[in-house]
Amino acid sequence: MPVVILSIAAAAIRGTAYYMRKRSKLKDGDKDIAKERQREKKIELSRGGSSLPTVVAHILHPEHELYLDFGQTYRCNACLQYGEGKRYRCRGLCGFRVHPNCALSYKMICDLFQTDLQTYAHKYMHPLSIIKDSSDSNCKHCKNKCKDLIRYHCNTCNKMFHLACAVHPTRLLSFLHPNHELELKTRPIDARCNVCYHSGKSNARVYCCKTCKFYVHPDCAIKFQYVKSLIHVDHILVFRPLPSYESAVCKGCNRECKRWRYTCSVCEGVNYHEDCLLRYEIVRSNASLEEVGHLCKRSFVKAFKDGFKDGFKDDFKDDMKEQFHDESVWDLIAQFLEALFS
Ligand SMILES: [Zn+2]
Ligand SMILES: [Zn+2]
Ligand SMILES: [Zn+2]
Ligand SMILES: [Zn+2]
Ligand SMILES: [Zn+2]
Ligand SMILES: [Zn+2]
Ligand SMILES: [Zn+2]
Ligand SMILES: [Zn+2]
Protein backbone atom coordinates (compact mmCIF):
# COMPACT_ATOMS: atom_id res chain seq x y z
CA MET A 1 0.00 0.00 0.00
CA PRO A 2 2.66 2.59 0.96
CA VAL A 3 4.45 1.74 -2.30
CA VAL A 4 1.35 2.64 -4.28
CA ILE A 5 0.91 5.93 -2.42
CA LEU A 6 4.58 6.73 -2.84
CA SER A 7 4.52 6.07 -6.56
CA ILE A 8 1.40 8.19 -6.98
CA ALA A 9 3.09 10.97 -5.01
CA ALA A 10 6.23 10.63 -7.12
CA ALA A 11 4.18 10.80 -10.32
CA ALA A 12 2.40 13.88 -9.02
CA ILE A 13 5.70 15.57 -8.21
CA ARG A 14 7.10 14.61 -11.62
CA GLY A 15 3.93 15.97 -13.23
CA THR A 16 4.18 19.24 -11.31
CA ALA A 17 7.87 19.58 -12.09
CA TYR A 18 7.18 19.00 -15.78
CA TYR A 19 4.35 21.50 -15.70
CA MET A 20 6.49 24.12 -13.91
CA ARG A 21 9.27 23.64 -16.46
CA LYS A 22 6.92 24.12 -19.38
CA ARG A 23 5.19 27.01 -17.71
CA SER A 24 8.32 28.84 -16.63
CA LYS A 25 9.64 28.78 -20.21
CA LEU A 26 6.58 30.62 -21.44
CA LYS A 27 6.57 32.92 -18.39
CA ASP A 28 10.17 33.93 -19.22
CA GLY A 29 8.92 34.63 -22.71
CA ASP A 30 6.22 36.85 -21.21
CA LYS A 31 8.98 38.96 -19.63
CA ASP A 32 10.60 39.36 -23.04
CA ILE A 33 7.23 40.40 -24.44
CA ALA A 34 6.88 43.03 -21.71
CA LYS A 35 10.31 44.44 -22.67
CA GLU A 36 9.41 44.48 -26.35
CA ARG A 37 6.14 46.19 -25.49
CA GLN A 38 8.01 48.98 -23.70
CA ARG A 39 10.34 49.31 -26.67
CA GLU A 40 7.39 49.57 -29.07
CA LYS A 41 5.80 52.23 -26.87
CA LYS A 42 9.03 54.28 -26.83
CA ILE A 43 9.23 54.16 -30.62
CA GLU A 44 5.62 55.33 -30.82
CA LEU A 45 6.30 58.19 -28.41
CA SER A 46 9.38 59.30 -30.32
CA ARG A 47 7.21 59.40 -33.45
CA GLY A 48 4.89 61.86 -31.75
CA GLY A 49 2.83 59.77 -29.36
CA SER A 50 -0.68 58.91 -30.28
CA SER A 51 -1.15 58.70 -34.01
CA LEU A 52 -4.95 58.82 -33.91
CA PRO A 53 -6.40 60.66 -36.91
CA THR A 54 -8.26 63.85 -36.00
CA VAL A 55 -11.21 63.21 -38.33
CA VAL A 56 -12.80 59.90 -39.29
CA ALA A 57 -15.77 58.63 -41.25
CA HIS A 58 -17.95 56.07 -39.51
CA ILE A 59 -20.03 53.32 -41.07
CA LEU A 60 -22.86 53.77 -38.51
CA HIS A 61 -23.04 57.55 -38.98
CA PRO A 62 -22.31 58.24 -42.66
CA GLU A 63 -24.03 61.66 -42.60
CA HIS A 64 -21.28 63.53 -40.74
CA GLU A 65 -17.57 63.36 -39.96
CA LEU A 66 -16.47 62.52 -36.43
CA TYR A 67 -13.79 64.57 -34.64
CA LEU A 68 -11.35 63.43 -31.99
CA ASP A 69 -11.87 65.18 -28.65
CA PHE A 70 -11.91 64.55 -24.90
CA GLY A 71 -14.91 64.27 -22.65
CA GLN A 72 -16.48 63.03 -19.46
CA THR A 73 -18.11 59.62 -19.27
CA TYR A 74 -20.03 58.84 -22.45
CA ARG A 75 -21.91 55.87 -23.87
CA CYS A 76 -20.43 54.64 -27.14
CA ASN A 77 -22.99 54.42 -29.96
CA ALA A 78 -21.19 51.44 -31.51
CA CYS A 79 -20.50 49.01 -28.64
CA LEU A 80 -22.98 50.61 -26.18
CA GLN A 81 -20.34 50.40 -23.44
CA TYR A 82 -19.20 53.39 -21.42
CA GLY A 83 -16.01 55.29 -22.11
CA GLU A 84 -14.07 58.23 -20.75
CA GLY A 85 -11.49 60.63 -22.19
CA LYS A 86 -10.67 60.26 -25.88
CA ARG A 87 -13.61 59.76 -28.20
CA TYR A 88 -14.80 60.55 -31.73
CA ARG A 89 -17.80 62.82 -31.73
CA CYS A 90 -20.17 64.29 -34.29
CA ARG A 91 -20.15 68.10 -34.01
CA GLY A 92 -23.78 68.26 -35.10
CA LEU A 93 -26.75 67.89 -32.80
CA CYS A 94 -26.77 64.11 -33.34
CA GLY A 95 -24.77 63.39 -30.22
CA PHE A 96 -23.10 60.43 -31.97
CA ARG A 97 -19.97 59.37 -30.05
CA VAL A 98 -17.72 56.32 -30.28
CA HIS A 99 -14.61 54.95 -28.60
CA PRO A 100 -11.42 55.41 -30.67
CA ASN A 101 -11.21 51.60 -30.84
CA CYS A 102 -14.79 51.43 -32.14
CA ALA A 103 -14.02 54.11 -34.75
CA LEU A 104 -10.86 52.43 -36.01
CA SER A 105 -11.68 48.72 -35.69
CA TYR A 106 -11.70 48.33 -39.49
CA LYS A 107 -8.13 49.65 -39.59
CA MET A 108 -6.99 46.83 -37.35
CA ILE A 109 -8.31 44.30 -39.87
CA CYS A 110 -6.47 46.10 -42.69
CA ASP A 111 -3.25 46.03 -40.70
CA LEU A 112 -3.45 42.24 -40.45
CA PHE A 113 -2.78 41.83 -44.15
CA GLN A 114 0.87 42.62 -44.73
CA THR A 115 3.24 41.09 -47.21
CA ASP A 116 6.70 39.87 -46.13
CA LEU A 117 5.99 40.70 -42.52
CA GLN A 118 8.97 40.76 -40.17
CA THR A 119 7.79 40.42 -36.62
CA TYR A 120 8.98 40.02 -33.07
CA ALA A 121 6.63 36.98 -32.86
CA HIS A 122 9.18 35.05 -34.92
CA LYS A 123 12.57 35.19 -33.24
CA TYR A 124 14.52 34.57 -36.48
CA MET A 125 12.80 37.53 -38.09
CA HIS A 126 12.32 35.65 -41.38
CA PRO A 127 9.72 37.44 -43.48
CA LEU A 128 6.31 35.74 -43.09
CA SER A 129 3.79 35.32 -45.86
CA ILE A 130 0.00 35.00 -45.70
CA ILE A 131 -1.31 31.57 -46.65
CA LYS A 132 -4.58 29.65 -46.69
CA ASP A 133 -4.11 26.46 -44.71
CA SER A 134 -6.46 24.14 -42.81
CA SER A 135 -3.85 21.83 -41.28
CA ASP A 136 -3.93 21.20 -37.56
CA SER A 137 -1.11 23.39 -36.30
CA ASN A 138 -0.30 25.53 -33.31
CA CYS A 139 0.76 29.15 -33.48
CA LYS A 140 4.46 29.39 -32.69
CA HIS A 141 4.01 32.56 -30.67
CA CYS A 142 0.97 31.92 -28.41
CA LYS A 143 0.83 28.07 -28.63
CA ASN A 144 -2.93 28.04 -29.29
CA LYS A 145 -4.37 26.09 -32.23
CA CYS A 146 -4.71 27.95 -35.53
CA LYS A 147 -8.42 27.77 -36.31
CA ASP A 148 -8.68 30.49 -38.92
CA LEU A 149 -7.89 29.39 -42.47
CA ILE A 150 -5.80 32.47 -43.14
CA ARG A 151 -2.46 32.48 -41.31
CA TYR A 152 1.06 33.80 -41.47
CA HIS A 153 3.68 31.21 -42.39
CA CYS A 154 7.47 31.09 -42.32
CA ASN A 155 8.65 29.18 -45.39
CA THR A 156 12.13 28.70 -43.95
CA CYS A 157 11.06 27.14 -40.63
CA ASN A 158 7.60 25.89 -41.71
CA LYS A 159 5.96 27.53 -38.69
CA MET A 160 2.46 29.00 -38.44
CA PHE A 161 1.34 32.19 -36.72
CA HIS A 162 -2.09 33.66 -36.08
CA LEU A 163 -2.71 36.87 -37.99
CA ALA A 164 -3.16 38.70 -34.67
CA CYS A 165 -0.04 37.23 -33.05
CA ALA A 166 2.17 38.06 -36.02
CA VAL A 167 0.99 41.65 -36.33
CA HIS A 168 0.34 42.39 -32.63
CA PRO A 169 2.83 40.15 -30.82
CA THR A 170 2.82 42.06 -27.52
CA ARG A 171 -0.29 44.20 -27.30
CA LEU A 172 -3.58 44.80 -29.01
CA LEU A 173 -6.12 47.60 -29.15
CA SER A 174 -9.56 46.16 -29.81
CA PHE A 175 -13.20 47.19 -29.76
CA LEU A 176 -13.81 43.98 -27.78
CA HIS A 177 -12.41 45.79 -24.72
CA PRO A 178 -12.42 49.41 -25.83
CA ASN A 179 -11.21 51.17 -22.69
CA HIS A 180 -7.91 49.39 -22.06
CA GLU A 181 -4.99 48.04 -24.03
CA LEU A 182 -4.78 44.23 -24.09
CA GLU A 183 -1.46 42.50 -23.46
CA LEU A 184 -0.45 39.06 -24.69
CA LYS A 185 0.35 36.93 -21.62
CA THR A 186 0.18 33.33 -20.45
CA ARG A 187 -3.45 32.58 -19.60
CA PRO A 188 -4.18 32.14 -15.89
CA ILE A 189 -5.27 28.54 -15.34
CA ASP A 190 -8.93 29.36 -14.50
CA ALA A 191 -9.47 32.09 -17.10
CA ARG A 192 -11.86 31.65 -20.03
CA CYS A 193 -11.99 33.51 -23.29
CA ASN A 194 -14.57 36.29 -23.04
CA VAL A 195 -15.71 35.74 -26.63
CA CYS A 196 -15.88 31.92 -27.10
CA TYR A 197 -16.18 30.93 -23.38
CA HIS A 198 -13.62 28.15 -23.80
CA SER A 199 -10.33 28.11 -22.01
CA GLY A 200 -8.41 26.59 -24.93
CA LYS A 201 -4.96 25.06 -24.63
CA SER A 202 -3.43 25.27 -21.20
CA ASN A 203 -0.09 27.00 -20.99
CA ALA A 204 -0.83 29.21 -23.97
CA ARG A 205 -1.00 32.98 -24.31
CA VAL A 206 -4.10 35.13 -24.63
CA TYR A 207 -4.67 38.86 -24.91
CA CYS A 208 -5.72 40.12 -21.52
CA CYS A 209 -6.61 43.09 -19.36
CA LYS A 210 -5.60 41.97 -15.89
CA THR A 211 -7.49 44.85 -14.23
CA CYS A 212 -10.86 43.82 -15.69
CA LYS A 213 -10.07 40.09 -15.95
CA PHE A 214 -10.81 40.20 -19.67
CA TYR A 215 -9.21 37.44 -21.77
CA VAL A 216 -9.49 36.66 -25.47
CA HIS A 217 -7.76 34.11 -27.70
CA PRO A 218 -5.75 35.66 -30.53
CA ASP A 219 -7.99 34.07 -33.17
CA CYS A 220 -11.16 35.05 -31.28
CA ALA A 221 -9.90 38.64 -31.20
CA ILE A 222 -10.22 38.93 -34.99
CA LYS A 223 -13.86 39.83 -35.44
CA PHE A 224 -15.48 42.34 -37.67
CA GLN A 225 -17.30 44.84 -35.54
CA TYR A 226 -19.61 45.89 -38.41
CA VAL A 227 -21.13 43.52 -40.95
CA LYS A 228 -23.49 44.11 -43.85
CA SER A 229 -25.36 40.87 -44.51
CA LEU A 230 -28.16 39.91 -46.88
CA ILE A 231 -29.85 38.30 -43.89
CA HIS A 232 -30.81 41.83 -42.76
CA VAL A 233 -30.27 44.11 -45.74
CA ASP A 234 -31.51 47.39 -44.33
CA HIS A 235 -29.01 48.02 -41.57
CA ILE A 236 -25.46 47.33 -40.44
CA LEU A 237 -25.12 44.54 -37.87
CA VAL A 238 -22.74 45.21 -34.98
CA PHE A 239 -20.81 42.68 -32.89
CA ARG A 240 -21.75 43.67 -29.35
CA PRO A 241 -21.63 42.15 -25.87
CA LEU A 242 -25.02 41.39 -24.32
CA PRO A 243 -25.28 43.06 -20.91
CA SER A 244 -25.77 40.51 -18.10
CA TYR A 245 -29.22 41.96 -17.27
CA GLU A 246 -30.53 41.54 -20.84
CA SER A 247 -31.51 38.46 -22.79
CA ALA A 248 -31.56 37.92 -26.54
CA VAL A 249 -32.73 35.17 -28.88
CA CYS A 250 -30.99 34.43 -32.17
CA LYS A 251 -33.30 34.86 -35.18
CA GLY A 252 -31.36 32.16 -37.01
CA CYS A 253 -31.78 29.26 -34.57
CA ASN A 254 -34.23 30.59 -31.93
CA ARG A 255 -31.75 29.81 -29.20
CA GLU A 256 -30.45 32.15 -26.57
CA CYS A 257 -27.46 34.40 -27.29
CA LYS A 258 -25.14 34.21 -24.32
CA ARG A 259 -22.97 37.25 -24.62
CA TRP A 260 -21.41 38.42 -27.87
CA ARG A 261 -23.65 38.40 -30.91
CA TYR A 262 -24.32 40.38 -34.09
CA THR A 263 -27.21 42.73 -33.46
CA CYS A 264 -28.90 45.35 -35.62
CA SER A 265 -27.64 48.89 -35.09
CA VAL A 266 -31.20 50.22 -35.59
CA CYS A 267 -33.92 47.60 -34.91
CA GLU A 268 -34.64 46.08 -31.53
CA GLY A 269 -34.59 42.30 -31.16
CA VAL A 270 -32.51 41.46 -34.24
CA ASN A 271 -29.75 39.17 -32.97
CA TYR A 272 -27.66 36.48 -34.62
CA HIS A 273 -25.00 34.14 -33.32
CA GLU A 274 -21.85 34.58 -35.36
CA ASP A 275 -22.20 30.93 -36.51
CA CYS A 276 -25.85 31.42 -37.53
CA LEU A 277 -24.89 34.42 -39.64
CA LEU A 278 -22.20 32.31 -41.27
CA ARG A 279 -24.58 29.38 -41.79
CA TYR A 280 -26.93 31.68 -43.67
CA GLU A 281 -24.05 32.75 -45.88
CA ILE A 282 -23.19 29.05 -46.49
CA VAL A 283 -26.67 28.29 -47.80
CA ARG A 284 -26.56 31.40 -49.94
CA SER A 285 -23.13 30.77 -51.42
CA ASN A 286 -22.92 26.96 -51.56
CA ALA A 287 -19.52 27.17 -49.89
CA SER A 288 -18.41 24.48 -47.47
CA LEU A 289 -18.44 24.97 -43.73
CA GLU A 290 -14.68 25.16 -43.68
CA GLU A 291 -14.50 27.73 -46.43
CA VAL A 292 -17.18 29.92 -45.02
CA GLY A 293 -15.22 31.02 -41.94
CA HIS A 294 -14.33 34.24 -43.66
CA LEU A 295 -17.51 34.94 -45.56
CA CYS A 296 -18.78 37.15 -42.82
CA LYS A 297 -15.53 39.03 -43.03
CA ARG A 298 -15.89 39.27 -46.80
CA SER A 299 -19.33 40.87 -46.40
CA PHE A 300 -17.70 43.42 -44.18
CA VAL A 301 -14.92 44.16 -46.62
CA LYS A 302 -17.50 44.68 -49.34
CA ALA A 303 -19.60 46.92 -47.10
CA PHE A 304 -16.65 49.04 -46.24
CA LYS A 305 -15.27 49.16 -49.78
CA ASP A 306 -18.67 50.33 -51.03
CA GLY A 307 -18.76 52.99 -48.34
CA PHE A 308 -15.23 54.03 -49.12
CA LYS A 309 -15.94 54.37 -52.82
CA ASP A 310 -19.37 56.01 -52.78
CA GLY A 311 -20.35 57.29 -49.40
CA PHE A 312 -17.48 59.42 -48.19
CA LYS A 313 -16.57 62.86 -49.36
CA ASP A 314 -13.51 63.41 -51.54
CA ASP A 315 -11.36 65.24 -49.02
CA PHE A 316 -11.96 62.32 -46.73
CA LYS A 317 -10.59 59.84 -49.17
CA ASP A 318 -7.07 61.20 -48.87
CA ASP A 319 -7.33 61.03 -45.13
CA MET A 320 -8.58 57.46 -45.32
CA LYS A 321 -5.93 56.51 -47.83
CA GLU A 322 -3.30 57.72 -45.44
CA GLN A 323 -4.78 55.59 -42.69
CA PHE A 324 -4.71 52.50 -44.84
CA HIS A 325 -1.23 53.42 -46.09
CA ASP A 326 -2.58 52.89 -49.56
CA GLU A 327 -5.82 51.93 -51.20
CA SER A 328 -4.30 48.81 -52.72
CA VAL A 329 -4.44 47.23 -49.24
CA TRP A 330 -8.16 46.92 -49.86
CA ASP A 331 -7.52 45.28 -53.18
CA LEU A 332 -5.13 42.85 -51.53
CA ILE A 333 -7.73 41.90 -48.92
CA ALA A 334 -10.52 41.66 -51.46
CA GLN A 335 -8.40 39.56 -53.84
CA PHE A 336 -7.37 37.29 -51.04
CA LEU A 337 -10.88 36.71 -49.78
CA GLU A 338 -12.24 36.31 -53.27
CA ALA A 339 -9.61 33.66 -54.01
CA LEU A 340 -10.96 31.72 -51.04
CA PHE A 341 -14.43 31.40 -52.50
CA SER A 342 -14.04 31.35 -56.24
ZN1 LIG B 1 -17.33 51.53 -28.20
ZN1 LIG C 1 -23.99 63.67 -36.88
ZN1 LIG D 1 -1.00 32.94 -31.86
ZN1 LIG E 1 11.50 31.24 -39.80
ZN1 LIG F 1 -11.81 32.29 -27.62
ZN1 LIG G 1 -9.79 46.50 -18.81
ZN1 LIG H 1 -28.24 31.21 -33.64
ZN1 LIG I 1 -32.37 46.58 -38.59
Side-chain angles (χ1 to χ4, degrees), residues 232 235 264 267:
H232 190 76
H235 308 119
C264 180
C267 317

Side-chain angles (χ1 to χ4, degrees), residues 67-108:
Y67 292 81
L68 182 65
D69 70 4
F70 295 83
Q72 302 287 321
T73 307
Y74 62 90
R75 194 172 189 213
C76 170
N77 286 83
C79 70
L80 305 186
Q81 300 179 80
Y82 287 93
E84 210 179 72
K86 282 181 193 167
R87 62 190 181 178
Y88 282 97
R89 188 172 66 93
C90 173
R91 285 181 177 173
L93 294 173
C94 329
F96 188 91
R97 292 165 297 193
V98 288
H99 286 110
N101 285 349
C102 295
L104 303 169
S105 61
Y106 58 85
K107 186 178 176 296
M108 182 192 147

